[in-house]
Amino acid sequence: MLVLGGTAEARRLAAVLHRDPAFAVTSSLAGRVAVPRLPCGDVRIGGFGGADGLTAWLRGNRTDAVVDATHPFAARMTANALAATAAAGVPLVVLRRPGWTEGPGDRWHRVPDAAAAAALVPRLGTRVFLATGSGDLAAFAGLDAWCLLRAVDPPPPPLPARHHLVLARGPFTADAERALLREHRIEVLVARDSGGELTAAKLVAARELGLPVVLMARPPAPDAPAVASVEEAVAWLAAALAGRP
């Protein structure tokens, strides 16, 4: 099995497969974090060289199935996985945790992308927590606001002219997120609809403080079988590979 990882779900899946002698699992990490959390089993770090490179890797390593358990916003890797598995004739399943659902007290503004978020923010506040991940920060470089940024490693430019960077690795508690928002007098939170409990604390804190949230929509779902949990992914793999030597 090849698990395209980098998420908590990918690490859990690798652990489950690693314990089962029926599976030999290799996890692939993009290498964007200097010191990543490593899953169980074999691990490779770095890109494949696009869809063609991934196709060659699948063939060269006699891969029986691929699980795309990358971040919901890793659209390029998912597109490469779709193309490569189709070319190599290898089954693919996409493991995606469900997106977040708005509840009582939430003040969410859903937008299609980072550009739309950057256009909306000035109408909501002047002190902004950009909890978007490093890949989307360039869209906010021209924002006329004070911005709080948080990342595991220093993000590349361009960045907002007025910003404060916090280097930290989650998950974070709701108490910690509430304290962070208060410390920096945040007026609006910008986040991606990543889903999952591990990254939801900032939304809880924003709700409790009555802050508006600009929530960026996920890329379109890929045209591939999809599951929402590790258990479903394991069952899909067992069914897809039933009868293979």
Side-chain angles (χ1 to χ4, degrees):
M1 306 298 107
L2 174 66
V3 177
L4 302 174
T7 61
E9 290 82 8
R11 290 190 295 274
R12 282 187 55 220
L13 176 61
V16 171
L17 296 178
H18 185 65
R19 291 194 298 266
D20 189 333
F23 296 103
V25 59
T26 297
S27 296
S28 176
L29 307 181
R32 295 191 179 94
V33 177
V35 185
R37 288 176 173 150
L38 298 179
C40 297
D42 293 336
V43 180
R44 66 171 308 280
I45 297 176
F48 290 93
D52 290 344
L54 178 53
T55 302
W57 194 95
L58 296 176
R59 289 172 174 161
N61 288 272
R62 300 173 58 194
T63 306
D64 292 312
V66 176
V67 181
D68 175 6
T70 56
H71 192 277
F73 283 76
R76 180 177 299 176
M77 187 66 247
T78 294
N80 287 342
L82 283 168
T85 52
V90 174
L92 168 71
V93 64
V94 178
L95 171 57
R96 290 285 186 275
R97 55 185 179 256
W100 288 311
T101 302
E102 189 172 3
D106 285 324
R107 298 172 55 197
W108 291 3
H109 303 263
R110 291 187 179 271
V111 294
D113 52 33
L120 176 60
V121 162
R123 291 156 39 193
L124 300 175
T126 59
R127 296 185 67 84
V128 187
F129 180 16
L130 294 177
T132 63
S134 299
D136 287 308
L137 290 177
F140 301 89
L143 200 61
D144 184 19
W146 185 92
C147 298
L148 175 64
L149 315 180
R150 182 170 66 195
V152 177
D153 298 314
L159 301 174
R162 293 186 293 141
H163 73 267
H164 175 71
L165 174 63
V166 174
L167 294 178
R169 188 196 298 268
F172 306 98
T173 66
D175 287 344
E177 296 291 61
R178 192 185 311 109
L180 183 73
L181 295 174
R182 282 174 169 161
E183 176 187 356
H184 296 285
R185 307 192 311 280
I186 297 300
E187 298 172 353
V188 55
L189 166 68
V190 181
R192 301 183 293 185
D193 187 8
S194 301
E197 296 181 0
L198 292 179
T199 54
K202 57 182 173 286
L203 300 177
V204 174
R207 179 193 311 130
E208 293 174 350
L209 296 176
L211 300 181
V213 175
V214 179
L215 201 62
M216 295 157 46
R218 296 179 175 193
D223 184 16
V227 294
S229 70
V230 169
E231 294 74 19
E232 292 175 12
V234 173
W236 189 95
L237 287 170
L241 302 177
R244 288 201 177 195

